[in-house]
Amino acid sequence: LLCKNELNDTLNNLCHWMKDEHVDKNLVTQLDSAFIRKDPYGVVLIIAPWNYPIHLFLVPLIGAIAAGNCVIVKPSETSKNTERLVAEMLSCYLDSDCFAVVTAGVEETTRLLENKFDYIFFTGSPRVGRIIMTAAAKHLTPVTLELGGKNPCYVSDTCDVQNVARRVAWGRFFNAGQTCIAPDYVLCSVEMQEKLMPALREAITEFFGSNPRESPDFGRIVGDKQFRRIRALLCSGRVAIGGQTDEKERYIAPTVLADVLPSDPAMQEEIFGPILPIVVVANMDEAIDFINARPRPLAIYAFSCDSKVVKQVLERTSSGGFCGNDTLMHLTLTSLPFGGIGNSGLGKYHGKFTFDTFTHHRGCLHRNMGLEALNALRYPPYSQQKLGLLTATFEIKRKGTCTLL
Amino acid sequence: MERMQQVVGRARAAFNSGRCRSLEFRMQQLKALERMVQEKEKEILAAIKADLHKCGHNAYSHEILGVLGELALAMDKLPSWAAPQPVKKNLLTMRDEAYICPEPLGVVLIIGAWNYPFVLVMQPLVGAIAAGNAVVVKPSEISENTARLVADLLPQYLDRDLYPVVTGGVPETTALLTQRFDHILYTGNSTVGKIVMAAAAKHLTPVTLELGGKSPCYIDTDCDLAVACRRITWGKYMNCGQTCIAPDYILCDPSIQSKVVENIKVTLQEFYGEDVKSSPDYERIINKHHFKRILGLLEGQKIAHGGESDEASCFIAPTILTDVSAESKVMEEEIFGPVLPIVTVKSVDEAIEFINRREKPLALYVFSNNKKLIKRVISETSSGGFTGNDVIMHFFLSTLPFGGVGNSGMGAYHGKHSFETFSHRRACLIKDLKMEGTNKLRYPPGSQKKVDWAKFFLLKRFNKTRIGLIALALLGIVAAVVIKVS
């Protein structure tokens, strides 16, 4: 659905996005044509991850094609079935010279990166993001890195507990927690933790029934390595809800951990699984300090009936994006830029931002051959008079909103 | 290394204190910067003259005027640039607040270059301060007088912890680059650009690289040669050719080559008189290393004009080379000196092909009376920026983004583009904690009915008029109620 939205948005607006953007002129260029030309970069590489294997290659691909580039798509080798499907399917619908799919593991991807691309779009972990950017530096290739981190979710004492529980549980357990903007952990007071627990239990039952293992709506962990990694995080705080696992099925039950400490395993890395730790803080200020002491995340969530609390958390923290009183939803608005900051990434996309990401904005000035007399002020030989005239022009201009010269 | 850690650490602590976030504080710093430029004009012009032998007029118009303009623009527009921008919402978020909030990135590093030593640190600095960041300024050590001046002046006018100046050469810059910054803007050459980006990659730091290349200048047979040559002469020989967007070489039909040379000669006479060396308006090469490098490019070339030099004063006369071969040394690297090669091409097609076979340049110039031809060159080539029927001028229009592409760089700045380069555009969605009914659509357990309703709401298939929107909203509420009941 989200892909269709992006396609429709792009198809509806492409003519408008592609047009030369005429800009305001200053005094000297009044009679000229000044515009920003939208040029494609050339050959673009899109490296997609395994958690939303179609969406996360298709949405950037839409923007790259819209911007006029040729594209090489490298789907994740971890989501093998989708990888195969993309490789077979794309050539049936798109020009096979302009748009190619490369299936590759780590070694081959490293070799792929030795080639020169005109833009690289990568979605994945910060660790690999660094490797990608280092490889891009060798060719001065600009990059967009959509990475991750631990997305904090602050729940204030004044809130509708059941609604909060539902929205947080939905965001956390969607795709079995394997979502870059999933609420990674909750920060709240000890009283709120008490209230949240039964509410979360109720929400989980509402969504997945009394045995989530049998629910067709609850996912599994993508691979054995990831399963084992997430399972090891369970020894943090105490298991208040869930905690069951099955290695054969790579099933981890929707789990909530209470009284988690900042030093616990679940707080050392991005969880990327169906485990929700709750870390107790005394108040909002402590929550904000906790968040600011850590690398900037891809998303921050704050829940409160008091809009001032939500605004405070927003103003006193920094993150890729922010959603008040809900989780994940800022992703569905294509008019909002989607991207990280610091460790959680650089660059942004969705909607027009994808088009702009894959476009070189070229400043163009088309001047008149005539009216040469107007240029006289800039040519040598220079005299005190010329400088005086120049300064005088500048003085007059300062009072208005035009820029100088 | 430790010194760098301390300087950057102090800047970061100062940033974290939050004092540079308020608009009042930023305006105050920008005003102080403006006062500095106005009060210390003489000292600034003297430093630039000492570094580049640049006359007052040039130094003022190339460097000071530009900075004052950026400052005036930033102070005028800051409230509107920094304000949250509401965005278009969809049906599901109709009752919510959705906007983009521009926020500072944190601690920014600006590495300047020696050719326009003042404006190339100051112009980015204005944007970085306006965006609310702490800024570490590292002027080029090669333009040592200006570097020293900047290091002296900035602490006298600006907050000392937030905007420190670091001086030094390669070892100091290398140490500085091991620290973590939240954005790095580097002006210089591609080789060092790669080093800067690789260092930035370790910390996932976004970069803006203002690099260079060979900016081609195509002269069509259908054009006013006198005017074209005058404009080219101005742009090529200003600052003794040491301008990143100088027209590096000329492409033209062999039939007009000699006329081009004649016209440029006449203009040179007009500009600098009989004896260029004694003209106060002609600059010098920055140092002996570049002096020798540029002279080396003349080997084996047909010198149609100029060629004189004087090592003691790093003087190289305005020089024109004709019938230059594409494979010669002077066509391999960016000249960055007062040497203008002319390469002949038989048509605009050949010119376009020639340009496209090479790295994408920082600037591209075309002179022609034929508007269609100019449009064609723009469409069939790529470059950082472009000016038709003149040179350099796109740099002075701050509404145009100034930057390179491919080997000539990445990112852009000037005017509002500086503010955006140094800001994080944070997506913000503030929903209501109530109205849970409409959320039911998305919660498990899934059902075909839910998918159908979701399609109905989310797919932007048609242009919704206002009345249509209200009708849809009502339908939406009805649907939510229906699903809740069922």
Side-chain angles (χ1 to χ4, degrees), chain A residues 1 4-5 8-9 12 23-26 28-29 34-37 39 41 116 118 126 129-130 133-134 136-138 140-142 145 147 159-160 163-164 166-167 170 206-208 217 296 300 303-305 310-311 314 317-326 329-330 332-337 340-343 346 348 353 360-370 372 375 377-382 386-387 390-391 394 398 401 403-405, chain B residues 34 38 55 57-58 60-61 65 68-69 72-73 76 87-90 93 97-100 103 105 180 182 190 193-194 197-198 200-202 204-206 209 211 223-224 227 230-231 234 270-272 281 359-360 364 368-369 374 378-379 381-390 393-394 396-401 404-407 410 424-436 439-440 442-446 454-455 458-461:
Chain A
L1 268 183
K4 273 203 171 146
N5 240 356
N8 288 332
D9 196 18
N12 285 339
V23 297
D24 285 341
K25 296 177 282 199
N26 55 25
V28 151
T29 46
F35 54 92
I36 300 174
R37 164 62 57 96
D39 279 342
Y41 273 109
K116 178 174 173 180
D118 301 302
R130 284 188 181 86
M133 190 169 171
T134 307
K138 296 203 175 73
L140 289 171
T141 301
L145 306 173
L147 312 175
C159 68
D160 182 329
N163 283 350
V164 171
R166 244 186 249 116
R167 295 173 191 194
W170 175 69
E206 229 181 85
F207 294 167
F208 309 117
D217 300 319
R296 289 180 287 192
I300 290 181
F303 286 85
S304 179
C305 281
V310 173
K311 289 273 157 73
L314 169 60
T317 60
S318 179
S319 63
F322 178 93
C323 188
N325 292 329
D326 211 335
M329 289 306 283
H330 59 292
T332 63
L333 254 189
T334 56
S335 50
L336 282 176
I341 184 176
N343 237 51
L346 55 96
K348 54 193 174 289
F353 299 104
H360 166 55
H361 289 71
R362 187 182 188 190
C364 298
L365 182 64
H366 186 160
R367 305 207 75 196
N368 222 299
M369 268 286 217
E372 182 62 354
N375 282 339
L377 267 186
R378 76 190 200 199
Y379 298 140
Y382 302 120
K386 265 194 184 170
L387 186 59
L390 203 62
T391 331
F394 172 63
R398 278 259 0 241
T401 48
T403 40
L404 57 107
L405 268 184
Chain B
E34 189 185 55
Q38 288 166 333
C55 66
H57 182 285
N58 268 348
Y60 191 86
S61 61
L65 218 46
L68 287 173
L73 183 70
D76 187 29
V87 297
K88 227 171 20 168
K89 298 182 280 200
N90 57 23
T93 44
E97 278 178 64
Y99 53 91
I100 301 173
E103 297 183 347
L105 289 167
R180 203 191 119 233
D182 302 299
S190 309
K194 290 178 183 165
M197 188 170 172
K202 295 205 173 73
L204 290 170
T205 300
L209 304 174
L211 310 175
C223 92
D224 184 335
V227 171
R230 192 178 300 118
R231 298 178 182 187
W234 170 70
E270 237 177 81
F271 286 0
Y272 305 114
D281 302 326
E359 295 291 355
K360 295 178 196 173
L364 184 56
S368 176
N369 283 328
I374 293 186
I378 299 178
S379 299
T381 58
S382 183
S383 64
F386 178 94
T387 295
N389 291 332
D390 208 339
M393 294 305 285
H394 62 285
F396 291 113
L397 187 52
S398 64
T399 45
L400 288 177
V405 66
N407 240 50
M410 59 180 78
H424 170 56
R425 322 255 300 276
R426 190 180 189 192
C428 300
L429 179 64
I430 317 274
K431 299 199 70 134
D432 210 315
L433 209 41
K434 304 188 284 285
M435 290 294 288
E436 184 64 352
N439 280 343
K440 296 274 185 208
R442 73 193 203 204
Y443 295 147
K455 273 193 189 160
L458 283 179
L459 281 187
K460 300 166 150 192
R461 255 180 314 214

Side-chain angles (χ1 to χ4, degrees), chain B residues 86-390:
Chain B
V87 297
K88 227 171 20 168
K89 298 182 280 200
N90 57 23
L91 211 54
L92 277 181
T93 44
M94 238 170 48
R95 285 189 71 249
D96 310 316
E97 278 178 64
Y99 53 91
I100 301 173
C101 207
E103 297 183 347
L105 289 167
V107 181
V108 162
L109 172 63
I110 293 172
I111 302 178
W114 53 258
N115 58 334
Y116 290 89
F118 189 68
V119 68
L120 290 176
V121 293
M122 294 295 290
Q123 204 164 0
L125 179 62
V126 171
I129 294 178
N133 301 286
V135 191
V136 176
V137 177
K138 157 78 190 75
S140 169
E141 71 284 9
I142 297 179
S143 45
E144 32 178 19
N145 297 288
T146 314
R148 208 177 312 129
L149 185 72
V150 169
D152 277 337
L153 288 183
L154 243 50
Q156 286 177 39
Y157 286 82
L158 300 181
D159 184 306
R160 283 167 194 221
D161 290 325
L162 282 170
Y163 315 110
V165 180
V166 172
T167 51
V170 175
E172 287 82 2
T173 312
T174 310
L176 195 54
L177 283 171
T178 59
Q179 301 302 309
R180 203 191 119 233
F181 293 97
D182 302 299
H183 194 101
I184 300 177
L185 187 145
Y186 166 77
T187 307
N189 65 58
S190 309
T191 312
V192 178
K194 290 178 183 165
I195 297 173
V196 172
M197 188 170 172
K202 295 205 173 73
H203 297 289
L204 290 170
T205 300
V207 297
T208 297
L209 304 174
E210 299 274 323
L211 310 175
K214 294 181 79 59
S215 301
C217 180
Y218 175 67
I219 308 179
D220 190 32
T221 43
D222 172 19
C223 92
D224 184 335
L225 270 183
V227 171
C229 292
R230 192 178 300 118
R231 298 178 182 187
I232 292 171
T233 308
W234 170 70
K236 173 75 201 187
Y237 300 107
M238 78 163 48
N239 208 29
C240 213
Q242 298 162 117
T243 306
C244 52
I245 44 171
D248 187 279
Y249 63 96
I250 289 181
L251 290 168
C252 71
D253 192 281
S255 63
I256 56 170
Q257 187 180 215
S258 47
K259 271 195 234 127
V260 168
V261 174
E262 277 319 304
N263 275 295
I264 296 179
K265 271 162 106 161
V266 166
T267 310
L268 282 171
Q269 178 101 314
E270 237 177 81
F271 286 0
Y272 305 114
E274 266 311 326
D275 180 19
V276 183
K277 199 158 170 213
S278 53
S279 163
D281 302 326
Y282 190 70
E283 289 91 350
R284 298 290 181 267
I285 301 302
I286 185 81
N287 62 21
K288 297 270 192 309
H289 161 76
H290 283 283
F291 174 86
K292 292 199 178 93
R293 177 188 65 80
I294 298 164
L295 277 188
L297 301 174
L298 298 177
E299 266 171 60
Q301 297 296 338
K302 219 191 279 177
I303 300 181
H305 180 79
E308 302 91 8
S309 63
D310 170 41
E311 185 161 348
S313 56
C314 283
F315 165 81
I316 299 181
T319 303
I320 310 173
L321 308 174
T322 48
D323 295 316
V324 177
S325 132
E327 283 78 41
S328 54
K329 200 154 167 230
V330 75
M331 287 307 290
E332 265 171 39
E333 55 180 83
E334 186 175 357
I335 295 167
F336 229 65
V339 171
L340 181 58
I342 304 182
V343 176
T344 54
V345 287
K346 300 248 173 40
S347 62
V348 71
D349 300 284
E350 214 184 295
I352 292 174
E353 230 180 290
F354 188 95
I355 293 167
N356 286 342
R357 251 183 279 132
R358 291 150 168 273
E359 295 291 355
K360 295 178 196 173
L362 187 51
L364 184 56
Y365 303 113
V366 175
F367 285 83
S368 176
N369 283 328
N370 183 349
K371 283 205 172 115
K372 275 215 190 81
L373 186 142
I374 293 186
K375 290 198 168 132
R376 186 181 154 204
V377 178
I378 299 178
S379 299
E380 293 180 24
T381 58
S382 183
S383 64
F386 178 94
T387 295
N389 291 332
D390 208 339

